[in-house]
Amino acid sequence: METTDDWVQTLGAGPLLGIAAGAIALLLVLIIGLRVHAFLALVTVSLLTAFAAGIPPADIIDTLNEGFGSTLGSVALLVGLGVMLGRLVEVSGGAQALTDALVGKFGEERAPLALGVASLIFGFPIFFDAGLVVMLPILFTVARRVGGGVLRYGLPVAGAFSVMHIFVPPHPGPVAAGELLGADIGLVLLLGLIVAIPTWYVTSYLFGLWAGKRWVLPVHDILAGGQQAEHDEHPPRAATVVWLLLLPLVLIFLNTGLDALRAAGVVDGDATWYNVARTIGSTPIALLITVFVAIYVLGKRRGRGSAVIEKLLDSALGPVCAIILVTGAGGMFGGVLQASGIGDALADSLEGIGLPVVVAGFVIATALRIAQGSATVALITSAGLVQPVVASGDYNAVQLAAIVLALSAGSVMASHVNDSGFWLVGRFFGMDVKTTLKTWTVLETLIGLMGFGIAALVYAIA
């Protein structure tokens, strides 16, 4: 199994899995036991893991940089632009206005349900991390007003974006797995919603309410640039905020819609207008456009000068630097585990265990997820591994879609310290590693188990 151009991993599955287990244990000891900063601990353990796995010393720095840089390349842009948008929404009073409207319509007791349902809708076209960042100012404002701690509202919101990202096209994981296995993407979408919605209600909403009572955490001022934020006396209407939050979703949905038309042969994928339109609809560009619109609608049009707006935007970036760096370091750790061949060794050892394909796919995807952290990598890799079995079998369209969803369920299991999303959620909600493991890791595992249960049931009766 090659991880660099001229190096082949010679260690077997047993030693590699032992290295992975030891690395995770060391990381937890450093962070929880010795109180080492998560960024320093992740970089140190990534380096030690690379040496232990036998990656050539000359390639180690490139391996670390690749894992760190590839994660930052997506996360830093999305988080940076998202918190700028959140800062404008928060300071203008827009978050408070939308909060008043939500609470007025659903009532204070159902505020977590209202936020979760909104996140399910927003999560249809938008990726997990981008959607979470866009919703944070609304989430935090509701939590401050209604009370009960941030997890009561944060877990239903984060869980909503997670189930949509994992189970429902046009997100890249289920789309790629569906294409590899020859499943009908429209059917995967339909069944994905059937899996995602009840799974979210039980594992994210109900569990979120319980966890919110068990761990009552204060709401951070991370989007407000500190407690000194002053809202406008005359905030924008709630409808203005809704349209502003919908703008990036519309642009992103345009992107995915054009891609679907290209796949169907309706439009020319090589046309210049097509590629320009898809670029405009990419997640970072959609958020960039939205930030400029928000600068005008929530800033300049309401009498704020350029210097004031610049100061507001600058104050939004400082508090999230630690989040971005820790998330990037989590990506570095996951990248080392991938490059060392640990995930491949685990998949090879599980490939011939003789289980039904829907169960074997779930087990393989779960093992890959635990070993290297990335849900998308786990899903696509496991789809590639079961592809020959699926190709040689006789499966109807519903069964193929159910297999894709079973793989998706495995790919979300047991989010822990090698998953950049683990650090993103934990840091935004102000949780330490222990609390994140007890809440977010459990929530993601419940999503995987219930999602697999529904997918396996669909497979059995199809």
PDB file of all heavy atoms in Angstrom, residues 203-217:
ATOM      1  N   THR A 203     -31.570  10.948  17.720  1.00  0.00           N
ATOM      2  CA  THR A 203     -30.166  10.984  18.136  1.00  0.00           C
ATOM      3  C   THR A 203     -29.636  12.387  18.395  1.00  0.00           C
ATOM      4  O   THR A 203     -28.654  12.541  19.130  1.00  0.00           O
ATOM      5  CB  THR A 203     -29.277  10.331  17.075  1.00  0.00           C
ATOM      6  OG1 THR A 203     -29.294  11.130  15.876  1.00  0.00           O
ATOM      7  CG2 THR A 203     -29.758   8.933  16.739  1.00  0.00           C
ATOM      8  N   SER A 204     -30.237  13.387  17.771  1.00  0.00           N
ATOM      9  CA  SER A 204     -29.728  14.751  17.911  1.00  0.00           C
ATOM     10  C   SER A 204     -30.670  15.631  18.721  1.00  0.00           C
ATOM     11  O   SER A 204     -30.232  16.345  19.625  1.00  0.00           O
ATOM     12  CB  SER A 204     -29.501  15.372  16.532  1.00  0.00           C
ATOM     13  OG  SER A 204     -28.618  14.583  15.758  1.00  0.00           O
ATOM     14  N   TYR A 205     -31.953  15.571  18.417  1.00  0.00           N
ATOM     15  CA  TYR A 205     -32.903  16.421  19.135  1.00  0.00           C
ATOM     16  C   TYR A 205     -33.170  15.879  20.539  1.00  0.00           C
ATOM     17  O   TYR A 205     -32.920  16.561  21.544  1.00  0.00           O
ATOM     18  CB  TYR A 205     -34.204  16.549  18.346  1.00  0.00           C
ATOM     19  CG  TYR A 205     -35.280  17.314  19.087  1.00  0.00           C
ATOM     20  CD1 TYR A 205     -35.095  18.654  19.435  1.00  0.00           C
ATOM     21  CD2 TYR A 205     -36.466  16.692  19.475  1.00  0.00           C
ATOM     22  CE1 TYR A 205     -36.067  19.352  20.136  1.00  0.00           C
ATOM     23  CE2 TYR A 205     -37.446  17.382  20.159  1.00  0.00           C
ATOM     24  CZ  TYR A 205     -37.235  18.710  20.503  1.00  0.00           C
ATOM     25  OH  TYR A 205     -38.203  19.395  21.192  1.00  0.00           O
ATOM     26  N   LEU A 206     -33.668  14.639  20.647  1.00  0.00           N
ATOM     27  CA  LEU A 206     -33.975  14.086  21.965  1.00  0.00           C
ATOM     28  C   LEU A 206     -32.712  13.906  22.806  1.00  0.00           C
ATOM     29  O   LEU A 206     -32.685  14.250  23.992  1.00  0.00           O
ATOM     30  CB  LEU A 206     -34.717  12.753  21.820  1.00  0.00           C
ATOM     31  CG  LEU A 206     -36.111  12.817  21.173  1.00  0.00           C
ATOM     32  CD1 LEU A 206     -36.738  11.434  21.117  1.00  0.00           C
ATOM     33  CD2 LEU A 206     -37.019  13.789  21.936  1.00  0.00           C
ATOM     34  N   PHE A 207     -31.659  13.369  22.190  1.00  0.00           N
ATOM     35  CA  PHE A 207     -30.404  13.226  22.925  1.00  0.00           C
ATOM     36  C   PHE A 207     -29.834  14.593  23.295  1.00  0.00           C
ATOM     37  O   PHE A 207     -29.278  14.775  24.384  1.00  0.00           O
ATOM     38  CB  PHE A 207     -29.385  12.439  22.101  1.00  0.00           C
ATOM     39  CG  PHE A 207     -28.018  12.380  22.741  1.00  0.00           C
ATOM     40  CD1 PHE A 207     -27.775  11.542  23.803  1.00  0.00           C
ATOM     41  CD2 PHE A 207     -26.985  13.183  22.268  1.00  0.00           C
ATOM     42  CE1 PHE A 207     -26.520  11.487  24.405  1.00  0.00           C
ATOM     43  CE2 PHE A 207     -25.725  13.143  22.860  1.00  0.00           C
ATOM     44  CZ  PHE A 207     -25.499  12.287  23.933  1.00  0.00           C
ATOM     45  N   GLY A 208     -29.980  15.576  22.386  1.00  0.00           N
ATOM     46  CA  GLY A 208     -29.490  16.917  22.665  1.00  0.00           C
ATOM     47  C   GLY A 208     -30.193  17.548  23.854  1.00  0.00           C
ATOM     48  O   GLY A 208     -29.561  18.221  24.680  1.00  0.00           O
ATOM     49  N   LEU A 209     -31.505  17.338  23.969  1.00  0.00           N
ATOM     50  CA  LEU A 209     -32.236  17.852  25.129  1.00  0.00           C
ATOM     51  C   LEU A 209     -31.731  17.210  26.418  1.00  0.00           C
ATOM     52  O   LEU A 209     -31.542  17.888  27.435  1.00  0.00           O
ATOM     53  CB  LEU A 209     -33.736  17.590  24.961  1.00  0.00           C
ATOM     54  CG  LEU A 209     -34.457  18.333  23.831  1.00  0.00           C
ATOM     55  CD1 LEU A 209     -35.937  17.983  23.824  1.00  0.00           C
ATOM     56  CD2 LEU A 209     -34.265  19.840  23.935  1.00  0.00           C
ATOM     57  N   TRP A 210     -31.511  15.880  26.370  1.00  0.00           N
ATOM     58  CA  TRP A 210     -31.012  15.196  27.564  1.00  0.00           C
ATOM     59  C   TRP A 210     -29.599  15.655  27.924  1.00  0.00           C
ATOM     60  O   TRP A 210     -29.312  15.969  29.078  1.00  0.00           O
ATOM     61  CB  TRP A 210     -31.017  13.686  27.319  1.00  0.00           C
ATOM     62  CG  TRP A 210     -30.417  12.919  28.458  1.00  0.00           C
ATOM     63  CD1 TRP A 210     -31.034  12.535  29.617  1.00  0.00           C
ATOM     64  CD2 TRP A 210     -29.059  12.477  28.570  1.00  0.00           C
ATOM     65  NE1 TRP A 210     -30.153  11.861  30.431  1.00  0.00           N
ATOM     66  CE2 TRP A 210     -28.931  11.818  29.813  1.00  0.00           C
ATOM     67  CE3 TRP A 210     -27.948  12.562  27.729  1.00  0.00           C
ATOM     68  CZ2 TRP A 210     -27.731  11.251  30.242  1.00  0.00           C
ATOM     69  CZ3 TRP A 210     -26.749  12.005  28.142  1.00  0.00           C
ATOM     70  CH2 TRP A 210     -26.642  11.361  29.389  1.00  0.00           C
ATOM     71  N   ALA A 211     -28.723  15.708  26.916  1.00  0.00           N
ATOM     72  CA  ALA A 211     -27.339  16.117  27.172  1.00  0.00           C
ATOM     73  C   ALA A 211     -27.271  17.565  27.627  1.00  0.00           C
ATOM     74  O   ALA A 211     -26.428  17.934  28.452  1.00  0.00           O
ATOM     75  CB  ALA A 211     -26.492  15.919  25.912  1.00  0.00           C
ATOM     76  N   GLY A 212     -28.170  18.404  27.096  1.00  0.00           N
ATOM     77  CA  GLY A 212     -28.191  19.802  27.495  1.00  0.00           C
ATOM     78  C   GLY A 212     -28.534  19.977  28.968  1.00  0.00           C
ATOM     79  O   GLY A 212     -28.078  20.926  29.611  1.00  0.00           O
ATOM     80  N   LYS A 213     -29.358  19.068  29.503  1.00  0.00           N
ATOM     81  CA  LYS A 213     -29.666  19.114  30.939  1.00  0.00           C
ATOM     82  C   LYS A 213     -28.513  18.558  31.768  1.00  0.00           C
ATOM     83  O   LYS A 213     -28.260  19.011  32.888  1.00  0.00           O
ATOM     84  CB  LYS A 213     -30.940  18.304  31.223  1.00  0.00           C
ATOM     85  CG  LYS A 213     -32.204  18.919  30.657  1.00  0.00           C
ATOM     86  CD  LYS A 213     -33.414  18.046  30.984  1.00  0.00           C
ATOM     87  CE  LYS A 213     -34.685  18.647  30.404  1.00  0.00           C
ATOM     88  NZ  LYS A 213     -35.882  17.781  30.675  1.00  0.00           N
ATOM     89  N   ARG A 214     -27.818  17.569  31.206  1.00  0.00           N
ATOM     90  CA  ARG A 214     -26.717  16.922  31.944  1.00  0.00           C
ATOM     91  C   ARG A 214     -25.486  17.820  31.997  1.00  0.00           C
ATOM     92  O   ARG A 214     -24.802  17.885  33.017  1.00  0.00           O
ATOM     93  CB  ARG A 214     -26.385  15.597  31.250  1.00  0.00           C
ATOM     94  CG  ARG A 214     -25.259  14.807  31.889  1.00  0.00           C
ATOM     95  CD  ARG A 214     -25.707  14.073  33.138  1.00  0.00           C
ATOM     96  NE  ARG A 214     -24.610  13.352  33.745  1.00  0.00           N
ATOM     97  CZ  ARG A 214     -24.263  12.107  33.428  1.00  0.00           C
ATOM     98  NH1 ARG A 214     -24.965  11.439  32.505  1.00  0.00           N
ATOM     99  NH2 ARG A 214     -23.260  11.510  34.035  1.00  0.00           N
ATOM    100  N   TRP A 215     -25.174  18.484  30.896  1.00  0.00           N
ATOM    101  CA  TRP A 215     -24.007  19.365  30.830  1.00  0.00           C
ATOM    102  C   TRP A 215     -24.486  20.765  30.438  1.00  0.00           C
ATOM    103  O   TRP A 215     -24.669  21.056  29.249  1.00  0.00           O
ATOM    104  CB  TRP A 215     -22.991  18.862  29.808  1.00  0.00           C
ATOM    105  CG  TRP A 215     -22.366  17.552  30.189  1.00  0.00           C
ATOM    106  CD1 TRP A 215     -21.320  17.357  31.041  1.00  0.00           C
ATOM    107  CD2 TRP A 215     -22.741  16.249  29.721  1.00  0.00           C
ATOM    108  NE1 TRP A 215     -21.020  16.019  31.135  1.00  0.00           N
ATOM    109  CE2 TRP A 215     -21.880  15.314  30.349  1.00  0.00           C
ATOM    110  CE3 TRP A 215     -23.723  15.771  28.843  1.00  0.00           C
ATOM    111  CZ2 TRP A 215     -21.973  13.945  30.111  1.00  0.00           C
ATOM    112  CZ3 TRP A 215     -23.820  14.414  28.619  1.00  0.00           C
ATOM    113  CH2 TRP A 215     -22.946  13.513  29.248  1.00  0.00           C
ATOM    114  N   VAL A 216     -24.707  21.617  31.402  1.00  0.00           N
ATOM    115  CA  VAL A 216     -25.182  22.981  31.157  1.00  0.00           C
ATOM    116  C   VAL A 216     -23.951  23.876  30.997  1.00  0.00           C
ATOM    117  O   VAL A 216     -23.298  24.250  31.977  1.00  0.00           O
ATOM    118  CB  VAL A 216     -26.082  23.482  32.297  1.00  0.00           C
ATOM    119  CG1 VAL A 216     -26.585  24.883  31.986  1.00  0.00           C
ATOM    120  CG2 VAL A 216     -27.253  22.520  32.507  1.00  0.00           C
ATOM    121  N   LEU A 217     -23.638  24.212  29.747  1.00  0.00           N
ATOM    122  CA  LEU A 217     -22.439  24.992  29.449  1.00  0.00           C
ATOM    123  C   LEU A 217     -22.823  26.420  29.074  1.00  0.00           C
ATOM    124  O   LEU A 217     -23.833  26.647  28.395  1.00  0.00           O
ATOM    125  CB  LEU A 217     -21.665  24.359  28.290  1.00  0.00           C
ATOM    126  CG  LEU A 217     -21.215  22.903  28.488  1.00  0.00           C
ATOM    127  CD1 LEU A 217     -20.471  22.410  27.260  1.00  0.00           C
ATOM    128  CD2 LEU A 217     -20.344  22.772  29.728  1.00  0.00           C
TER     129      LEU A 217
END
